[in-house]
Amino acid sequence: MKQELYLQLAERKKLGRKSFTVLIDPDKVDNKKIEQLVTLAMDAKVDYFFVGGSLVISNHLDECIQQIKASCDIPVILFPGSPSQVSRYADALLYLSLISGRNPELLIGQHVVSAPFVKKSGLEIMPTGYMVIDGGAPTTVSYISNASPIPSDKNEIAMCTAMAGEMIGMKLIYMDAGSGAKRPIPEEMINKVATHIEAPLIIGGGIVEPEKAYINCKAGADVIVVGNAIEKDTSLIKEMAAAVHSVPVGA
Ligand code: 1GP
């Protein structure tokens, strides 16, 4: 199985180099917007694109990814809200298992149904322990997943969940307060989790200020994901990327 991007992330983590990712929801972009985002992302030296959403209604996922791939070398990683969001044009797939919930469909059920299709795609598969953290209000992901998020002050639960996920074999841990969360994940929780796992730690949900992205990295995040705030103000791409990349290497 391909491992190129995972090995790159693991190496970056070893070196203490932080990565910035722009999340693109195919439902919210047209060709012109994609062109604008790609130009800004290249200029800002964005490390990755995540493409997906909890509820992708449009059917232009392939087209969206092909356009990004044709215009830049930034790796495109699928962040699927459902098994239908698989495109062979991407570079890799976050193979998400919702380890913070107790919904068997999202832990393993949907994976079983889609396994042959996913394997046939030829994508790099990145086994990812996905943890939804309470962001202060129900988000699309918390509603769709039909699973309770981890309360944002229960650092030990988050820590144990991430540790268990890693020991089960998850290569990445993604803690998400949900798109547009009112409250992003507290630094204390990020720090607690980061100091107890070796897998690269992805953090997203409700990050609207570059300072918060920076603080999260200092607390132990390896990858910062921003979607909503950039949809509203694309100039944030540059500021967010600069903040994440300004974290001293090895911090
Ligand atoms: C959501 O982590 C991502 O799944 C990003 O969240 O859209 O709030 O930046 P935002």
Side-chain angles (χ1 to χ4, degrees), residues 46-82:
V46 164
D47 299 287
Y48 305 100
F49 281 117
F50 283 180
V51 177
S54 311
L55 194 69
V56 173
I57 300 162
S58 64
N59 58 359
H60 74 138
L61 180 66
D62 281 347
E63 194 194 321
C64 169
I65 294 171
Q66 280 175 297
Q67 190 188 342
I68 300 171
K69 293 299 299 173
S71 358
C72 70
D73 291 330
I74 301 171
V76 175
I77 301 176
L78 290 162
F79 173 43
S82 73

PDB file of all heavy atoms in Angstrom, residues 46-82:
ATOM      1  N   VAL A  46       0.949  26.764   1.280  1.00  0.00           N
ATOM      2  CA  VAL A  46       0.058  25.835   1.998  1.00  0.00           C
ATOM      3  C   VAL A  46       0.574  24.413   1.768  1.00  0.00           C
ATOM      4  O   VAL A  46       1.044  24.076   0.682  1.00  0.00           O
ATOM      5  CB  VAL A  46      -1.396  26.021   1.482  1.00  0.00           C
ATOM      6  CG1 VAL A  46      -2.281  24.867   1.886  1.00  0.00           C
ATOM      7  CG2 VAL A  46      -1.958  27.345   1.989  1.00  0.00           C
ATOM      8  N   ASP A  47       0.509  23.585   2.798  1.00  0.00           N
ATOM      9  CA  ASP A  47       1.101  22.241   2.702  1.00  0.00           C
ATOM     10  C   ASP A  47       0.167  21.208   2.075  1.00  0.00           C
ATOM     11  O   ASP A  47       0.622  20.321   1.348  1.00  0.00           O
ATOM     12  CB  ASP A  47       1.517  21.782   4.104  1.00  0.00           C
ATOM     13  CG  ASP A  47       2.555  22.710   4.694  1.00  0.00           C
ATOM     14  OD1 ASP A  47       3.699  22.661   4.233  1.00  0.00           O
ATOM     15  OD2 ASP A  47       2.208  23.539   5.575  1.00  0.00           O
ATOM     16  N   TYR A  48      -1.128  21.295   2.402  1.00  0.00           N
ATOM     17  CA  TYR A  48      -2.088  20.299   1.900  1.00  0.00           C
ATOM     18  C   TYR A  48      -3.439  20.947   1.655  1.00  0.00           C
ATOM     19  O   TYR A  48      -3.773  21.945   2.284  1.00  0.00           O
ATOM     20  CB  TYR A  48      -2.311  19.158   2.921  1.00  0.00           C
ATOM     21  CG  TYR A  48      -1.026  18.478   3.354  1.00  0.00           C
ATOM     22  CD1 TYR A  48      -0.415  18.813   4.567  1.00  0.00           C
ATOM     23  CD2 TYR A  48      -0.418  17.513   2.552  1.00  0.00           C
ATOM     24  CE1 TYR A  48       0.774  18.213   4.967  1.00  0.00           C
ATOM     25  CE2 TYR A  48       0.773  16.903   2.949  1.00  0.00           C
ATOM     26  CZ  TYR A  48       1.365  17.265   4.155  1.00  0.00           C
ATOM     27  OH  TYR A  48       2.542  16.679   4.536  1.00  0.00           O
ATOM     28  N   PHE A  49      -4.195  20.305   0.756  1.00  0.00           N
ATOM     29  CA  PHE A  49      -5.629  20.589   0.663  1.00  0.00           C
ATOM     30  C   PHE A  49      -6.364  19.370   1.190  1.00  0.00           C
ATOM     31  O   PHE A  49      -6.018  18.239   0.838  1.00  0.00           O
ATOM     32  CB  PHE A  49      -6.074  20.782  -0.800  1.00  0.00           C
ATOM     33  CG  PHE A  49      -5.754  22.130  -1.384  1.00  0.00           C
ATOM     34  CD1 PHE A  49      -4.886  22.256  -2.460  1.00  0.00           C
ATOM     35  CD2 PHE A  49      -6.346  23.282  -0.884  1.00  0.00           C
ATOM     36  CE1 PHE A  49      -4.590  23.497  -3.008  1.00  0.00           C
ATOM     37  CE2 PHE A  49      -6.064  24.523  -1.431  1.00  0.00           C
ATOM     38  CZ  PHE A  49      -5.186  24.629  -2.495  1.00  0.00           C
ATOM     39  N   PHE A  50      -7.354  19.602   2.043  1.00  0.00           N
ATOM     40  CA  PHE A  50      -8.320  18.551   2.348  1.00  0.00           C
ATOM     41  C   PHE A  50      -9.556  18.895   1.523  1.00  0.00           C
ATOM     42  O   PHE A  50      -9.945  20.075   1.460  1.00  0.00           O
ATOM     43  CB  PHE A  50      -8.717  18.541   3.837  1.00  0.00           C
ATOM     44  CG  PHE A  50      -7.693  17.924   4.758  1.00  0.00           C
ATOM     45  CD1 PHE A  50      -7.938  17.863   6.137  1.00  0.00           C
ATOM     46  CD2 PHE A  50      -6.509  17.382   4.281  1.00  0.00           C
ATOM     47  CE1 PHE A  50      -7.012  17.291   7.004  1.00  0.00           C
ATOM     48  CE2 PHE A  50      -5.568  16.806   5.150  1.00  0.00           C
ATOM     49  CZ  PHE A  50      -5.825  16.765   6.511  1.00  0.00           C
ATOM     50  N   VAL A  51     -10.174  17.895   0.914  1.00  0.00           N
ATOM     51  CA  VAL A  51     -11.395  18.142   0.154  1.00  0.00           C
ATOM     52  C   VAL A  51     -12.487  17.213   0.665  1.00  0.00           C
ATOM     53  O   VAL A  51     -12.288  15.993   0.739  1.00  0.00           O
ATOM     54  CB  VAL A  51     -11.172  17.934  -1.368  1.00  0.00           C
ATOM     55  CG1 VAL A  51     -12.485  18.121  -2.125  1.00  0.00           C
ATOM     56  CG2 VAL A  51     -10.124  18.902  -1.901  1.00  0.00           C
ATOM     57  N   GLY A  52     -13.619  17.808   1.034  1.00  0.00           N
ATOM     58  CA  GLY A  52     -14.741  16.999   1.509  1.00  0.00           C
ATOM     59  C   GLY A  52     -15.619  17.819   2.419  1.00  0.00           C
ATOM     60  O   GLY A  52     -15.386  19.008   2.622  1.00  0.00           O
ATOM     61  N   GLY A  53     -16.627  17.171   2.958  1.00  0.00           N
ATOM     62  CA  GLY A  53     -17.554  17.842   3.859  1.00  0.00           C
ATOM     63  C   GLY A  53     -18.493  16.805   4.423  1.00  0.00           C
ATOM     64  O   GLY A  53     -18.601  15.707   3.880  1.00  0.00           O
ATOM     65  N   SER A  54     -19.174  17.173   5.512  1.00  0.00           N
ATOM     66  CA  SER A  54     -20.079  16.205   6.126  1.00  0.00           C
ATOM     67  C   SER A  54     -21.234  15.876   5.203  1.00  0.00           C
ATOM     68  O   SER A  54     -21.834  14.815   5.266  1.00  0.00           O
ATOM     69  CB  SER A  54     -20.661  16.759   7.418  1.00  0.00           C
ATOM     70  OG  SER A  54     -19.653  17.282   8.217  1.00  0.00           O
ATOM     71  N   LEU A  55     -21.538  16.816   4.333  1.00  0.00           N
ATOM     72  CA  LEU A  55     -22.747  16.656   3.533  1.00  0.00           C
ATOM     73  C   LEU A  55     -22.487  17.187   2.126  1.00  0.00           C
ATOM     74  O   LEU A  55     -22.868  18.300   1.799  1.00  0.00           O
ATOM     75  CB  LEU A  55     -23.858  17.484   4.204  1.00  0.00           C
ATOM     76  CG  LEU A  55     -25.283  17.249   3.772  1.00  0.00           C
ATOM     77  CD1 LEU A  55     -25.753  15.874   4.227  1.00  0.00           C
ATOM     78  CD2 LEU A  55     -26.187  18.307   4.403  1.00  0.00           C
ATOM     79  N   VAL A  56     -21.802  16.414   1.303  1.00  0.00           N
ATOM     80  CA  VAL A  56     -21.540  16.906  -0.052  1.00  0.00           C
ATOM     81  C   VAL A  56     -22.749  16.555  -0.928  1.00  0.00           C
ATOM     82  O   VAL A  56     -23.068  15.393  -1.146  1.00  0.00           O
ATOM     83  CB  VAL A  56     -20.225  16.323  -0.622  1.00  0.00           C
ATOM     84  CG1 VAL A  56     -20.063  16.714  -2.079  1.00  0.00           C
ATOM     85  CG2 VAL A  56     -19.049  16.843   0.186  1.00  0.00           C
ATOM     86  N   ILE A  57     -23.413  17.616  -1.381  1.00  0.00           N
ATOM     87  CA  ILE A  57     -24.653  17.412  -2.140  1.00  0.00           C
ATOM     88  C   ILE A  57     -24.362  17.447  -3.645  1.00  0.00           C
ATOM     89  O   ILE A  57     -24.928  16.703  -4.425  1.00  0.00           O
ATOM     90  CB  ILE A  57     -25.684  18.517  -1.776  1.00  0.00           C
ATOM     91  CG1 ILE A  57     -25.986  18.434  -0.263  1.00  0.00           C
ATOM     92  CG2 ILE A  57     -26.957  18.375  -2.570  1.00  0.00           C
ATOM     93  CD1 ILE A  57     -26.626  19.668   0.325  1.00  0.00           C
ATOM     94  N   SER A  58     -23.437  18.332  -4.027  1.00  0.00           N
ATOM     95  CA  SER A  58     -23.133  18.472  -5.451  1.00  0.00           C
ATOM     96  C   SER A  58     -22.387  17.231  -5.937  1.00  0.00           C
ATOM     97  O   SER A  58     -21.890  16.445  -5.144  1.00  0.00           O
ATOM     98  CB  SER A  58     -22.252  19.699  -5.649  1.00  0.00           C
ATOM     99  OG  SER A  58     -21.033  19.484  -4.989  1.00  0.00           O
ATOM    100  N   ASN A  59     -22.301  17.084  -7.251  1.00  0.00           N
ATOM    101  CA  ASN A  59     -21.573  15.909  -7.751  1.00  0.00           C
ATOM    102  C   ASN A  59     -20.353  16.317  -8.560  1.00  0.00           C
ATOM    103  O   ASN A  59     -20.030  15.675  -9.546  1.00  0.00           O
ATOM    104  CB  ASN A  59     -22.504  14.971  -8.534  1.00  0.00           C
ATOM    105  CG  ASN A  59     -23.137  15.701  -9.699  1.00  0.00           C
ATOM    106  OD1 ASN A  59     -22.871  16.892  -9.876  1.00  0.00           O
ATOM    107  ND2 ASN A  59     -23.941  15.016 -10.473  1.00  0.00           N
ATOM    108  N   HIS A  60     -19.715  17.393  -8.135  1.00  0.00           N
ATOM    109  CA  HIS A  60     -18.537  17.795  -8.890  1.00  0.00           C
ATOM    110  C   HIS A  60     -17.233  17.597  -8.104  1.00  0.00           C
ATOM    111  O   HIS A  60     -16.272  18.332  -8.262  1.00  0.00           O
ATOM    112  CB  HIS A  60     -18.685  19.211  -9.473  1.00  0.00           C
ATOM    113  CG  HIS A  60     -18.572  20.317  -8.480  1.00  0.00           C
ATOM    114  ND1 HIS A  60     -17.871  21.468  -8.744  1.00  0.00           N
ATOM    115  CD2 HIS A  60     -19.046  20.441  -7.241  1.00  0.00           C
ATOM    116  CE1 HIS A  60     -17.940  22.253  -7.681  1.00  0.00           C
ATOM    117  NE2 HIS A  60     -18.647  21.653  -6.769  1.00  0.00           N
ATOM    118  N   LEU A  61     -17.211  16.546  -7.257  1.00  0.00           N
ATOM    119  CA  LEU A  61     -16.006  16.264  -6.481  1.00  0.00           C
ATOM    120  C   LEU A  61     -14.810  15.966  -7.409  1.00  0.00           C
ATOM    121  O   LEU A  61     -13.733  16.545  -7.249  1.00  0.00           O
ATOM    122  CB  LEU A  61     -16.273  15.065  -5.552  1.00  0.00           C
ATOM    123  CG  LEU A  61     -15.124  14.616  -4.670  1.00  0.00           C
ATOM    124  CD1 LEU A  61     -14.775  15.678  -3.634  1.00  0.00           C
ATOM    125  CD2 LEU A  61     -15.475  13.306  -3.938  1.00  0.00           C
ATOM    126  N   ASP A  62     -15.019  15.073  -8.384  1.00  0.00           N
ATOM    127  CA  ASP A  62     -13.943  14.723  -9.315  1.00  0.00           C
ATOM    128  C   ASP A  62     -13.419  15.970 -10.035  1.00  0.00           C
ATOM    129  O   ASP A  62     -12.220  16.213 -10.103  1.00  0.00           O
ATOM    130  CB  ASP A  62     -14.441  13.741 -10.392  1.00  0.00           C
ATOM    131  CG  ASP A  62     -14.506  12.309  -9.863  1.00  0.00           C
ATOM    132  OD1 ASP A  62     -13.953  12.043  -8.776  1.00  0.00           O
ATOM    133  OD2 ASP A  62     -15.116  11.463 -10.544  1.00  0.00           O
ATOM    134  N   GLU A  63     -14.358  16.724 -10.526  1.00  0.00           N
ATOM    135  CA  GLU A  63     -14.024  17.923 -11.303  1.00  0.00           C
ATOM    136  C   GLU A  63     -13.239  18.925 -10.457  1.00  0.00           C
ATOM    137  O   GLU A  63     -12.233  19.504 -10.890  1.00  0.00           O
ATOM    138  CB  GLU A  63     -15.352  18.536 -11.758  1.00  0.00           C
ATOM    139  CG  GLU A  63     -15.265  19.582 -12.821  1.00  0.00           C
ATOM    140  CD  GLU A  63     -16.602  20.320 -12.900  1.00  0.00           C
ATOM    141  OE1 GLU A  63     -17.667  19.650 -12.769  1.00  0.00           O
ATOM    142  OE2 GLU A  63     -16.579  21.540 -13.044  1.00  0.00           O
ATOM    143  N   CYS A  64     -13.685  19.085  -9.201  1.00  0.00           N
ATOM    144  CA  CYS A  64     -13.048  20.013  -8.268  1.00  0.00           C
ATOM    145  C   CYS A  64     -11.585  19.584  -8.030  1.00  0.00           C
ATOM    146  O   CYS A  64     -10.655  20.398  -8.096  1.00  0.00           O
ATOM    147  CB  CYS A  64     -13.870  20.011  -6.976  1.00  0.00           C
ATOM    148  SG  CYS A  64     -13.153  20.826  -5.574  1.00  0.00           S
ATOM    149  N   ILE A  65     -11.386  18.296  -7.794  1.00  0.00           N
ATOM    150  CA  ILE A  65     -10.032  17.808  -7.514  1.00  0.00           C
ATOM    151  C   ILE A  65      -9.156  17.874  -8.763  1.00  0.00           C
ATOM    152  O   ILE A  65      -7.989  18.279  -8.698  1.00  0.00           O
ATOM    153  CB  ILE A  65     -10.085  16.380  -6.943  1.00  0.00           C
ATOM    154  CG1 ILE A  65     -10.762  16.425  -5.561  1.00  0.00           C
ATOM    155  CG2 ILE A  65      -8.694  15.760  -6.841  1.00  0.00           C
ATOM    156  CD1 ILE A  65     -11.079  15.095  -4.963  1.00  0.00           C
ATOM    157  N   GLN A  66      -9.734  17.539  -9.904  1.00  0.00           N
ATOM    158  CA  GLN A  66      -8.950  17.605 -11.147  1.00  0.00           C
ATOM    159  C   GLN A  66      -8.470  19.033 -11.403  1.00  0.00           C
ATOM    160  O   GLN A  66      -7.340  19.249 -11.831  1.00  0.00           O
ATOM    161  CB  GLN A  66      -9.795  17.125 -12.327  1.00  0.00           C
ATOM    162  CG  GLN A  66      -9.860  15.602 -12.415  1.00  0.00           C
ATOM    163  CD  GLN A  66     -10.802  15.140 -13.510  1.00  0.00           C
ATOM    164  OE1 GLN A  66     -11.993  15.393 -13.455  1.00  0.00           O
ATOM    165  NE2 GLN A  66     -10.256  14.502 -14.518  1.00  0.00           N
ATOM    166  N   GLN A  67      -9.329  19.988 -11.114  1.00  0.00           N
ATOM    167  CA  GLN A  67      -8.936  21.388 -11.324  1.00  0.00           C
ATOM    168  C   GLN A  67      -7.775  21.772 -10.391  1.00  0.00           C
ATOM    169  O   GLN A  67      -6.815  22.417 -10.823  1.00  0.00           O
ATOM    170  CB  GLN A  67     -10.128  22.321 -11.108  1.00  0.00           C
ATOM    171  CG  GLN A  67      -9.810  23.750 -11.563  1.00  0.00           C
ATOM    172  CD  GLN A  67     -10.889  24.753 -11.200  1.00  0.00           C
ATOM    173  OE1 GLN A  67     -12.032  24.393 -10.895  1.00  0.00           O
ATOM    174  NE2 GLN A  67     -10.525  26.027 -11.234  1.00  0.00           N
ATOM    175  N   ILE A  68      -7.850  21.354  -9.144  1.00  0.00           N
ATOM    176  CA  ILE A  68      -6.762  21.685  -8.208  1.00  0.00           C
ATOM    177  C   ILE A  68      -5.467  21.019  -8.688  1.00  0.00           C
ATOM    178  O   ILE A  68      -4.404  21.645  -8.756  1.00  0.00           O
ATOM    179  CB  ILE A  68      -7.083  21.201  -6.771  1.00  0.00           C
ATOM    180  CG1 ILE A  68      -8.364  21.842  -6.246  1.00  0.00           C
ATOM    181  CG2 ILE A  68      -5.919  21.488  -5.822  1.00  0.00           C
ATOM    182  CD1 ILE A  68      -8.874  21.258  -4.925  1.00  0.00           C
ATOM    183  N   LYS A  69      -5.562  19.737  -9.024  1.00  0.00           N
ATOM    184  CA  LYS A  69      -4.362  18.982  -9.415  1.00  0.00           C
ATOM    185  C   LYS A  69      -3.733  19.549 -10.690  1.00  0.00           C
ATOM    186  O   LYS A  69      -2.520  19.497 -10.865  1.00  0.00           O
ATOM    187  CB  LYS A  69      -4.700  17.495  -9.622  1.00  0.00           C
ATOM    188  CG  LYS A  69      -5.101  16.743  -8.373  1.00  0.00           C
ATOM    189  CD  LYS A  69      -4.030  16.714  -7.299  1.00  0.00           C
ATOM    190  CE  LYS A  69      -2.746  16.038  -7.712  1.00  0.00           C
ATOM    191  NZ  LYS A  69      -1.686  16.203  -6.678  1.00  0.00           N
ATOM    192  N   ALA A  70      -4.574  20.073 -11.578  1.00  0.00           N
ATOM    193  CA  ALA A  70      -4.045  20.610 -12.839  1.00  0.00           C
ATOM    194  C   ALA A  70      -3.326  21.932 -12.612  1.00  0.00           C
ATOM    195  O   ALA A  70      -2.498  22.344 -13.432  1.00  0.00           O
ATOM    196  CB  ALA A  70      -5.187  20.802 -13.829  1.00  0.00           C
ATOM    197  N   SER A  71      -3.605  22.613 -11.499  1.00  0.00           N
ATOM    198  CA  SER A  71      -3.021  23.938 -11.316  1.00  0.00           C
ATOM    199  C   SER A  71      -1.906  24.032 -10.286  1.00  0.00           C
ATOM    200  O   SER A  71      -1.280  25.069 -10.167  1.00  0.00           O
ATOM    201  CB  SER A  71      -4.097  24.972 -10.971  1.00  0.00           C
ATOM    202  OG  SER A  71      -5.367  24.462 -10.940  1.00  0.00           O
ATOM    203  N   CYS A  72      -1.685  22.983  -9.502  1.00  0.00           N
ATOM    204  CA  CYS A  72      -0.621  23.092  -8.492  1.00  0.00           C
ATOM    205  C   CYS A  72      -0.130  21.726  -8.039  1.00  0.00           C
ATOM    206  O   CYS A  72      -0.728  20.702  -8.377  1.00  0.00           O
ATOM    207  CB  CYS A  72      -1.113  23.886  -7.274  1.00  0.00           C
ATOM    208  SG  CYS A  72      -2.326  23.004  -6.287  1.00  0.00           S
ATOM    209  N   ASP A  73       0.958  21.737  -7.271  1.00  0.00           N
ATOM    210  CA  ASP A  73       1.534  20.477  -6.771  1.00  0.00           C
ATOM    211  C   ASP A  73       1.148  20.211  -5.315  1.00  0.00           C
ATOM    212  O   ASP A  73       1.680  19.297  -4.690  1.00  0.00           O
ATOM    213  CB  ASP A  73       3.071  20.548  -6.835  1.00  0.00           C
ATOM    214  CG  ASP A  73       3.547  20.538  -8.267  1.00  0.00           C
ATOM    215  OD1 ASP A  73       2.847  19.931  -9.099  1.00  0.00           O
ATOM    216  OD2 ASP A  73       4.598  21.154  -8.545  1.00  0.00           O
ATOM    217  N   ILE A  74       0.293  21.029  -4.745  1.00  0.00           N
ATOM    218  CA  ILE A  74      -0.087  20.821  -3.338  1.00  0.00           C
ATOM    219  C   ILE A  74      -0.903  19.520  -3.252  1.00  0.00           C
ATOM    220  O   ILE A  74      -1.881  19.353  -3.987  1.00  0.00           O
ATOM    221  CB  ILE A  74      -0.919  22.025  -2.812  1.00  0.00           C
ATOM    222  CG1 ILE A  74      -0.108  23.326  -2.924  1.00  0.00           C
ATOM    223  CG2 ILE A  74      -1.365  21.780  -1.365  1.00  0.00           C
ATOM    224  CD1 ILE A  74      -0.895  24.602  -2.647  1.00  0.00           C
ATOM    225  N   PRO A  75      -0.482  18.597  -2.381  1.00  0.00           N
ATOM    226  CA  PRO A  75      -1.214  17.329  -2.302  1.00  0.00           C
ATOM    227  C   PRO A  75      -2.680  17.512  -1.896  1.00  0.00           C
ATOM    228  O   PRO A  75      -2.996  18.351  -1.056  1.00  0.00           O
ATOM    229  CB  PRO A  75      -0.457  16.541  -1.217  1.00  0.00           C
ATOM    230  CG  PRO A  75       0.892  17.162  -1.153  1.00  0.00           C
ATOM    231  CD  PRO A  75       0.694  18.622  -1.490  1.00  0.00           C
ATOM    232  N   VAL A  76      -3.547  16.726  -2.518  1.00  0.00           N
ATOM    233  CA  VAL A  76      -4.979  16.772  -2.223  1.00  0.00           C
ATOM    234  C   VAL A  76      -5.365  15.498  -1.469  1.00  0.00           C
ATOM    235  O   VAL A  76      -5.189  14.389  -1.964  1.00  0.00           O
ATOM    236  CB  VAL A  76      -5.819  16.882  -3.510  1.00  0.00           C
ATOM    237  CG1 VAL A  76      -7.312  16.802  -3.181  1.00  0.00           C
ATOM    238  CG2 VAL A  76      -5.508  18.175  -4.247  1.00  0.00           C
ATOM    239  N   ILE A  77      -5.865  15.696  -0.254  1.00  0.00           N
ATOM    240  CA  ILE A  77      -6.240  14.564   0.599  1.00  0.00           C
ATOM    241  C   ILE A  77      -7.746  14.607   0.823  1.00  0.00           C
ATOM    242  O   ILE A  77      -8.279  15.647   1.234  1.00  0.00           O
ATOM    243  CB  ILE A  77      -5.479  14.628   1.948  1.00  0.00           C
ATOM    244  CG1 ILE A  77      -3.960  14.611   1.690  1.00  0.00           C
ATOM    245  CG2 ILE A  77      -5.889  13.461   2.858  1.00  0.00           C
ATOM    246  CD1 ILE A  77      -3.090  14.756   2.945  1.00  0.00           C
ATOM    247  N   LEU A  78      -8.417  13.506   0.536  1.00  0.00           N
ATOM    248  CA  LEU A  78      -9.869  13.457   0.727  1.00  0.00           C
ATOM    249  C   LEU A  78     -10.202  13.375   2.205  1.00  0.00           C
ATOM    250  O   LEU A  78      -9.581  12.599   2.951  1.00  0.00           O
ATOM    251  CB  LEU A  78     -10.456  12.240   0.007  1.00  0.00           C
ATOM    252  CG  LEU A  78     -10.453  12.307  -1.514  1.00  0.00           C
ATOM    253  CD1 LEU A  78     -10.645  10.907  -2.095  1.00  0.00           C
ATOM    254  CD2 LEU A  78     -11.530  13.246  -2.017  1.00  0.00           C
ATOM    255  N   PHE A  79     -11.202  14.158   2.605  1.00  0.00           N
ATOM    256  CA  PHE A  79     -11.704  14.170   3.983  1.00  0.00           C
ATOM    257  C   PHE A  79     -13.188  13.862   3.867  1.00  0.00           C
ATOM    258  O   PHE A  79     -14.028  14.765   3.874  1.00  0.00           O
ATOM    259  CB  PHE A  79     -11.417  15.558   4.572  1.00  0.00           C
ATOM    260  CG  PHE A  79     -12.018  15.803   5.930  1.00  0.00           C
ATOM    261  CD1 PHE A  79     -11.984  14.847   6.929  1.00  0.00           C
ATOM    262  CD2 PHE A  79     -12.614  17.031   6.222  1.00  0.00           C
ATOM    263  CE1 PHE A  79     -12.546  15.095   8.182  1.00  0.00           C
ATOM    264  CE2 PHE A  79     -13.169  17.292   7.458  1.00  0.00           C
ATOM    265  CZ  PHE A  79     -13.141  16.311   8.442  1.00  0.00           C
ATOM    266  N   PRO A  80     -13.525  12.589   3.689  1.00  0.00           N
ATOM    267  CA  PRO A  80     -14.886  12.254   3.272  1.00  0.00           C
ATOM    268  C   PRO A  80     -15.898  12.241   4.413  1.00  0.00           C
ATOM    269  O   PRO A  80     -15.621  11.756   5.509  1.00  0.00           O
ATOM    270  CB  PRO A  80     -14.722  10.829   2.710  1.00  0.00           C
ATOM    271  CG  PRO A  80     -13.574  10.259   3.473  1.00  0.00           C
ATOM    272  CD  PRO A  80     -12.679  11.410   3.866  1.00  0.00           C
ATOM    273  N   GLY A  81     -17.090  12.766   4.134  1.00  0.00           N
ATOM    274  CA  GLY A  81     -18.181  12.703   5.092  1.00  0.00           C
ATOM    275  C   GLY A  81     -18.991  11.435   4.912  1.00  0.00           C
ATOM    276  O   GLY A  81     -19.792  11.080   5.752  1.00  0.00           O
ATOM    277  N   SER A  82     -18.766  10.764   3.788  1.00  0.00           N
ATOM    278  CA  SER A  82     -19.471   9.502   3.533  1.00  0.00           C
ATOM    279  C   SER A  82     -18.670   8.710   2.504  1.00  0.00           C
ATOM    280  O   SER A  82     -17.815   9.270   1.814  1.00  0.00           O
ATOM    281  CB  SER A  82     -20.872   9.786   2.996  1.00  0.00           C
ATOM    282  OG  SER A  82     -20.759  10.240   1.663  1.00  0.00           O
TER     283      SER A  82
END
